[in-house]
C-alpha cells in the first residue's frame, strides 16, 4: 500500500436516525466522514421515523442482506380518528371520525387480529418499486399506484399505553412489515380510521438502538481518531 492510500474500514455501525433524516442522509454522512463510497444500510427507515439504522461499510456490506432478514422491533403510537394518504404524518389528515365510542377493551381485542401471519399491502407512499419506479414518486405525481399484498409475521403486538386519540404500542415483526399499514388497517378494524403518529425502531436481530450513536456522535468519534 502506498503512502497516499487509506485503508477502507469494514464496519457494522449502529446509528440512531434522527427525525426528518432519510436513511440515505445517514449513509451520506458515513461516506463523508469515512471518505469511502462502499457504504450501505440494512433496511430503510421513513423520514418521520427514528431509531436504529444499521450501516455497513467495506466488506461488511456483504452482510446487509442477512441483517435485513432479521426480525425487527418497533415502538410508536397510532392516532385514531383520521386517515392520511401516506398512512403517517407525511400527508394531510382526512376522513375525520368521532372516536368517543371507542373503548380500551375494543382496542385491546383488535390487536389479536394482527398477530401471527397476516396479509398487508404496502402504502403507496413507500419505496416499493413498480415497473422500476418508486411508488412514492408516482404517488406524489398523482399517478395511480397499485401494489401487491404480501404476507408478514407479527410475533408480538403489545399496547403499552392508551391516551386517546393515541394508542402506544410495541411490535416485533418479520422483514418487510410496514407499521404504517398496520396503523391504517388498525383504524379500519375499529371503523374509525387511523394513521401512524410516531415510530421508532428499537432493534434489528441482536442489534439494539440502546447501543447506537447519533450521526453527530459518530462524526465526532471518527474525527477525533
Amino acid at each position: 500500500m502506498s503512502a497516499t492510500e487509506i485503508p477502507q474500514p469494514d464496519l457494522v455501525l449502529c446509528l440512531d436516525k434522527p427525525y426528518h433524516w432519510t436513511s440515505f442522509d445517514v449513509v451520506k454522512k458515513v461516506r463523508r466522514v469515512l471518505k469511502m463510497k462502499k457504504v450501505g444500510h440494512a433496511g430503510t427507515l421513513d423520514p418521520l421515523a427514528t431509531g436504529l439504522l444499521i450501516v455497513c461499510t467495506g466488506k461488511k456490506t456483504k452482510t446487509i442482506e442477512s441483517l435485513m432478514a432479521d426480525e425487527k422491533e418497533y415502538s410508536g403510537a397510532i392516532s385514531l380518528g383520521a386517515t392520511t394518504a401516506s398512512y403517517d404524518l407525511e400527508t394531510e389528515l382526512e376522513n375525520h371520525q368521532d372516536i368517543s365510542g371507542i373503548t380500551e377493551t375494543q382496542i385491546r381485542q383488535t390487536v389479536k387480529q394482527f398477530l401471527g401471519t397476516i396479509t398487508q399491502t404496502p402504502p403507496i407512499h413507500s419505496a416499493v418499486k413498480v415497473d422500476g419506479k418508486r411508488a412514492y414518486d408516482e404517488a406524489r405525481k398523482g399517478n395511480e399506484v397499485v401494489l401487491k399484498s404480501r404476507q408478514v409475521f407479527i410475533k408480538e403486538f403489545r399496547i403499552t399505553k392508551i391516551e386517546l386519540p393515541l394508542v402506544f404500542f410495541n411490535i416485533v415483526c418479520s422483514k418487510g412489515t410496514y407499521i404504517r399499514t398496520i396503523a391504517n388497517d388498525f383504524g379500519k378494524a375499529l371503523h374509525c380510521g387511523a394513521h401512524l403518529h410516531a415510530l421508532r425502531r428499537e432493534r434489528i436481530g441482536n442489534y439494539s438502538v440502546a447501543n447506537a450513536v447519533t450521526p453527530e456522535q459518530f462524526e465526532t468519534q471518527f474525527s477525533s481518531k
Side-chain angles (χ1 to χ4, degrees), residues 125-143:
H125 288 259
S126 66
V128 174
K129 284 190 175 181
V130 182
D131 296 327
K133 300 176 181 178
R134 295 292 184 187
Y136 57 67
D137 287 332
E138 295 303 295
R140 287 165 185 164
K141 293 175 184 175
N143 297 333

Side-chain angles (χ1 to χ4, degrees), residues 15 26 35 41 83 89 103 172 175 185 187-188 202 218:
L15 295 169
V26 178
K35 297 180 175 61
H41 66 74
T83 63
L89 292 174
T103 67
V172 178
K175 168 190 175 182
D185 291 349
K188 287 180 181 178
E202 303 286 351
F218 165 76

Side-chain angles (χ1 to χ4, degrees), residues 11-12 42 54 56-70 207:
L11 303 171
V12 176
I54 297 179
C56 299
T57 71
K59 294 179 181 178
K60 289 295 185 180
T61 55
K62 295 178 180 179
T63 67
I64 285 177
E65 192 170 336
S66 63
L67 289 169
M68 289 178 67
D70 286 341
Y207 294 92

Side-chain angles (χ1 to χ4, degrees), residues 81-169:
T83 63
T84 75
S86 59
Y87 299 173
D88 64 5
L89 292 174
E90 182 184 341
T91 53
E92 295 295 318
L93 299 182
E94 54 190 14
N95 303 319
H96 294 268
Q97 297 188 46
D98 178 24
I99 62 169
S100 60
I102 302 294
T103 67
E104 179 175 339
T105 299
Q106 285 177 297
I107 291 169
R108 295 189 181 279
Q109 285 293 324
T110 299
V111 166
K112 297 177 182 178
Q113 300 178 30
F114 294 87
L115 290 170
T117 300
I118 64 170
T119 300
Q120 63 170 206
T121 303
I124 60 172
H125 288 259
S126 66
V128 174
K129 284 190 175 181
V130 182
D131 296 327
K133 300 176 181 178
R134 295 292 184 187
Y136 57 67
D137 287 332
E138 295 303 295
R140 287 165 185 164
K141 293 175 184 175
N143 297 333
E144 183 180 3
V145 180
V146 179
L147 298 177
K148 294 180 180 179
S149 61
R150 59 176 68 175
Q151 285 194 328
V152 296
F153 183 75
I154 311 301
K155 182 178 179 180
E156 296 179 19
F157 186 174
R158 294 185 297 106
I159 302 301
T160 56
K161 184 169 59 173
I162 298 174
E163 293 180 350
L164 293 179
L166 299 181
V167 177
F168 296 85
F169 64 83

